[in-house]
């Protein structure tokens, strides 16, 4: 079974429910991964429906292409989702009925020691979703200043012991280069102690991964582009897994669905703001209890959906 080799897609029922409203439409899966969401959408389309899946990870492209090789109405493209404007060169201006974002890192990437994403598996410090990217986790850990490391850990990991961890890293690397995930995990553990170890390790590895891959900037760019490449009435669904991601999505929907930006003291609207989208789901949607029991990865998932006006 393909899911045994890749992660189980999260909230597929909700994605199909909110996003697939035209069974002959064209859909864009911006985070293809193992192809789980693309397959769920394809299963609900007629023959004229089509799905394009994009991913920055060549391994994901190869995996999903093999998995969905018998689907004539599917195409995989190896680009970052922050570069979605390149899609127009591939589809000649085609606009989409629905767009899917499943943010963060895949379980397969985490579970592969050679990719260096996991603090519980020993491997080279890498964390590049696209192996061709110039900067790796090893570069950041060994070359960034103590001040920059502290900022990264606090801003992108929300780690309270950022200063102490940054100082310990700088001290340790003066003796020898920090090369492996185990080396970094040991350094963090020596600062935080056993009680906070797992949470702090998760935060530090998350922070470094975000910087290596420019994840938050990619999300902002992709959300902005998504509106321009959707049809009127088209919908986008965004699944996030931590507060930094969800905050960006929530802010984007709020700002672009606002009808007036004038101060409340103004007697009438002077800004003539025209909203581009509407907030379909209102509050965030979370997975059902039975899905969380089947798939622990879904526990922290949050889904927000918006529609182009």
């Amino acid at each position: 079974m393909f899911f045994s080799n890749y992660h189980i897609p999260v909230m597929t029922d909700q994605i199909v429910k909110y996003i697939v409203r035209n069974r002959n439409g064209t859909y864009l899966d911006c985070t293809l991964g193992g192809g789980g969401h693309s397959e769920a959408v394809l299963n609900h389309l007629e023959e004229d429906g089509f799905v394009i899946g994009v991913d920055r990870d060549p391994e994901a492209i190869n995996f999903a292409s093999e998995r969905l090789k018998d689907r004539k109405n599917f195409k995989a493209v190896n680009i970052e989702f922050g570069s979605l404007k390149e899609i127009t060169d591939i589809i000649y201006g085609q606009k989409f009925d629905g767009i899917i974002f499943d943010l963060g890192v895949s379980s397969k990437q985490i579970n592969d020691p050679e990719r260096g994403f996991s603090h519980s598996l020993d491997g080279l410090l890498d964390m590049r979703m696209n192996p061709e990217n110039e900067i790796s986790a090893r570069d950041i850990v060994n070359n960034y200043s103590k001040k920059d490391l502290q900022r990264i850990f606090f801003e992108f990991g929300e780690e309270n012991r950022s200063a102490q961890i940054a100082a310990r890293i700088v001290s340790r690397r003066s003796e020898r280069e920090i090369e492996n995930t185990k080396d970094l995990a040991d350094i963090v553990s020596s600062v935080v102690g056993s009680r906070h170890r797992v949470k702090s390790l998760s935060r530090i590895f998350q922070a470094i991964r975000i910087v290596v891959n420019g994840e938050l900037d990619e999300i902002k760019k992709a959300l902005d582009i998504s509106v321009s490449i959707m049809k009127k009435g088209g919908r986008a669904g965004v699944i996030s897994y931590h507060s930094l991601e969800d905050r960006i999505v929530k802010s984007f929907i709020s700002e672009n669905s606002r009808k007036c930006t004038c101060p409340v003291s103004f007697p009438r609207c002077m800004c003539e703001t025209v909203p581009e989208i509407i907030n379909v789901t209102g509050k965030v949607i979370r997975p059902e209890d039975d899905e969380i029991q089947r798939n622990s990865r879904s526990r922290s998932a949050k889904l927000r959906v918006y529609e182009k006006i």
Side-chain angles (χ1 to χ4, degrees):
M1 185 177 181
F2 271 103
F3 288 154
S4 64
N5 296 322
Y6 230 95
H7 68 262
I8 302 172
V10 171
M11 300 178 77
T12 52
D13 291 344
Q14 293 91 329
I15 286 291
V16 170
K17 172 185 174 182
Y18 283 102
I19 304 301
V20 183
R21 299 197 297 162
N22 177 5
R23 299 187 70 178
N24 291 299
T26 305
Y27 295 84
L28 177 63
D29 184 351
C30 291
T31 43
L32 179 59
H37 285 115
S38 287
E39 183 175 55
V41 172
L42 286 164
N43 289 340
H44 287 78
L45 298 184
E46 302 290 349
E47 289 185 4
D48 290 337
F50 201 90
V51 174
I52 294 177
V54 304
D55 205 293
R56 69 169 78 184
D57 188 345
E59 186 175 305
I61 294 293
N62 293 336
F63 184 94
S65 296
E66 175 63 23
R67 174 181 179 176
L68 300 173
K69 63 183 179 181
D70 295 330
R71 304 289 189 133
K72 304 302 182 185
N73 53 349
F74 171 77
K75 179 179 179 64
V77 182
N78 184 200
I79 62 170
E80 298 177 351
F81 64 60
S83 304
L84 289 181
K85 285 184 178 178
E86 295 179 20
I87 283 288
T88 59
D89 296 330
I90 300 168
I91 60 173
Y92 309 106
Q94 169 73 51
K95 294 196 174 183
F96 296 94
D97 294 90
I99 300 177
I100 304 162
F101 295 94
D102 183 12
L103 304 177
V105 63
S106 74
S107 297
K108 188 174 190 300
Q109 290 169 328
I110 291 174
N111 294 334
D112 184 351
E114 294 182 3
R115 303 299 297 271
F117 287 103
S118 174
H119 57 76
S120 60
L121 299 172
D122 192 22
L124 289 177
L125 273 172
D126 195 323
M127 301 193 196
R128 291 175 295 178
M129 292 182 182
N130 183 346
E132 294 184 0
N133 285 359
E134 292 183 4
I135 190 171
S136 70
R138 182 177 176 178
D139 297 321
I140 290 174
V141 170
N142 287 288
N143 298 321
Y144 279 35
S145 68
K146 181 171 69 173
K147 182 179 179 180
D148 283 340
L149 288 174
Q150 178 180 344
R151 176 186 59 81
I152 289 169
F153 298 156
F154 186 78
E155 184 176 345
F156 301 124
E158 301 178 301
E159 171 56 55
N160 291 331
R161 296 171 180 80
S162 297
Q164 298 96 309
I165 294 170
R168 189 67 58 86
I169 287 173
V170 171
S171 174
R172 187 69 60 83
R173 77 189 189 193
S174 67
E175 302 169 5
R176 61 180 175 85
E177 191 170 82
I178 301 167
E179 298 183 342
N180 300 320
T181 53
K182 185 179 184 302
D183 294 335
L184 179 58
D186 288 344
I187 293 169
V188 175
S189 299
S190 71
V191 174
V192 301
S194 59
R195 182 179 179 184
H196 302 286
R197 180 178 180 274
V198 174
K199 286 188 177 180
S200 290
L201 284 171
S202 297
R203 292 169 183 150
I204 296 301
F205 273 65
Q206 170 187 293
I208 296 172
R209 190 198 80 216
I210 286 173
V211 175
V212 167
N213 297 289
E215 291 178 36
L216 301 187
D217 287 338
E218 286 287 300
I219 294 170
K220 292 173 184 177
K221 288 191 291 185
L223 292 176
D224 287 337
I225 296 169
S226 70
V227 178
S228 66
I229 62 175
M230 271 197 294
K231 297 177 183 177
K232 288 185 178 181
R235 289 183 174 182
V238 189
I239 302 172
S240 60
Y241 295 90
H242 58 75
S243 59
L244 297 176
E245 293 173 340
D246 184 58
R247 203 174 297 150
I248 291 171
V249 180
K250 182 179 179 181
S251 176
F252 171 82
I253 294 175
S254 175
E255 290 175 6
N256 289 277
S257 60
R258 193 179 302 166
K259 295 180 180 179
C260 177
T261 59
C262 295
V264 293
S265 59
F266 279 26
R268 62 184 179 85
C269 176
M270 303 292 289
C271 67
E272 299 182 351
T273 299
V274 178
E276 294 185 287
I277 61 175
I278 57 174
N279 187 345
V280 173
T281 49
K283 293 183 178 180
V284 68
I285 296 175
R286 295 182 180 273
E288 301 290 340
D289 289 341
D290 62 337
E291 179 175 3
I292 294 174
Q293 291 177 1
R294 295 193 314 270
N295 179 13
S296 60
R297 181 175 183 263
S298 68
R299 183 178 292 108
S300 58
K302 299 177 181 179
L303 170 65
R304 297 184 188 273
V305 180
Y306 54 94
E307 178 180 316
K308 182 174 180 177
I309 297 174

